[in-house]
Amino acid sequence: IIINSLKQQIDNFKKNNRWKLLLNSLNENFQKLWYLKNHKGKYSKLIEVVSDPATLVAAYQVLKLKFNNIIATASDKTLDYLDNKWFLDIAQKIKTEKFKFKIAQRISISKPNNFKIQLLTKDNFKDRIVQQAIHMVLKQIFESEFLSTSYGFRTFKSCQSAFVQIRKNWVGISWFLKFNIQKCFDKIDKHRLISILREKIDDQRFLDCALKK
């Protein structure tokens, strides 16, 4: 029954009504999050949500929509060839702590009009499905903590919506300064990041999975 249901979700998503199916799937999966708080008021058993095949399918759907079916993996394969067995196998590996991310490729590119070399990480696209599932869980927990003026990597927020707010609310300002933090993600303090996650999460298996290299 699980296999047939999962296969139907994937097939229906590939055919039509993708946005409707995606939103319904996400809502059903994450309604359970609010029942996972323990006596400390922290979220526990989040690994059960991430390892739910339905969550992984929802993550798959997000990536399919985001990249419009054209982004390939390091092995030059798209996500179209994945079947329900793959989702069930990965779900079991995550739940039993046997899942491991594959080694990502580092690519050096030169910036235009600049002699500096920029390193880009090209990870395995199937690993991105698990990363997206983790991201969706974390977003449900921490989204409300972010400032309304924060527009980076947030749902329904973009450069365009930021400019709209600037034009509407920041009147009478002549100058705007743009800053770029050098190697921002490379220099994030992992220990500080863990401590922030622990403020709301009490699930070591989930944290181990999220912070795997």
Side-chain angles (χ1 to χ4, degrees):
I1 295 176
I2 294 177
I3 293 177
N4 290 336
S5 175
L6 194 60
K7 184 176 185 301
Q8 186 176 11
Q9 286 187 56
I10 299 172
D11 291 342
N12 287 341
F13 171 72
K14 288 181 177 180
K15 289 179 181 178
N16 48 35
N17 295 327
R18 296 186 298 175
W19 275 112
K20 183 177 179 181
L21 287 169
L22 172 58
L23 293 175
N24 289 341
S25 179
L26 288 175
N27 288 333
E28 291 175 5
N29 287 339
F30 294 119
Q31 281 178 355
K32 68 181 74 173
L33 271 184
W34 310 114
Y35 300 100
L36 295 179
K37 284 188 175 181
N38 58 22
H39 65 283
K40 301 176 184 178
K42 297 184 179 182
Y43 292 94
S44 61
K45 299 182 180 179
L46 293 177
I47 196 68
E48 302 293 336
V49 180
V50 174
S51 62
D52 186 336
T55 302
L56 294 170
V57 170
Y60 161 87
Q61 293 171 348
V62 170
L63 292 175
K64 290 280 286 184
L65 288 174
K66 182 177 180 181
F67 294 103
N68 199 27
N69 303 344
I70 62 174
I71 302 299
T73 66
S75 58
D76 295 327
K77 293 181 180 179
T78 65
L79 292 174
D80 292 315
Y81 69 98
L82 297 180
D83 56 15
N84 54 300
K85 182 179 183 301
W86 182 88
F87 289 96
L88 293 173
D89 289 344
I90 291 299
Q92 183 63 22
K93 287 181 179 179
I94 295 173
K95 186 176 294 187
T96 57
E97 301 182 74
K98 295 180 180 179
F99 173 79
K100 293 182 179 180
F101 291 108
K102 292 181 172 58
I103 299 176
Q105 295 180 348
R106 297 301 296 268
I107 303 173
S108 299
I109 63 170
S110 57
K111 293 185 177 180
N113 304 322
N114 196 325
F115 293 103
K116 293 183 179 179
I117 300 298
Q118 181 179 5
L119 291 177
L120 295 180
T121 301
K122 186 179 181 182
D123 53 6
N124 183 282
F125 215 109
K126 289 185 288 186
D127 286 352
R128 287 195 188 185
I129 296 177
V130 180
Q131 293 170 346
Q132 179 65 34
I134 294 171
H135 171 260
M136 291 190 302
V137 171
L138 289 174
K139 185 168 67 174
Q140 289 292 318
I141 296 173
F142 289 98
E143 175 67 23
S144 61
E145 302 290 323
F146 291 106
L147 296 174
S148 60
T149 51
S150 174
Y151 284 83
F153 305 102
R154 297 180 66 187
T155 305
F156 304 122
K157 287 182 178 287
S158 64
C159 293
Q160 289 79 9
S161 55
F163 281 126
V164 169
Q165 289 301 313
I166 290 173
R167 185 175 182 179
K168 180 180 179 181
N169 300 319
W170 295 33
V171 295
I173 298 176
S174 302
W175 290 89
F176 290 93
L177 301 179
K178 177 182 177 181
F179 294 92
N180 185 26
I181 302 175
Q182 185 178 17
K183 297 182 179 179
C184 173
F185 296 108
D186 295 336
K187 296 184 178 180
I188 292 177
D189 188 333
K190 185 176 180 180
H191 298 289
R192 175 58 181 149
L193 177 60
I194 294 175
S195 67
I196 292 173
L197 295 178
R198 288 191 187 280
E199 290 176 3
K200 289 183 173 292
I201 297 173
D202 186 15
D203 185 343
Q204 189 59 47
R205 289 196 300 163
F206 172 81
L207 292 176
D208 289 341
C209 183
L211 298 171
K212 278 183 178 180
K213 294 183 178 179

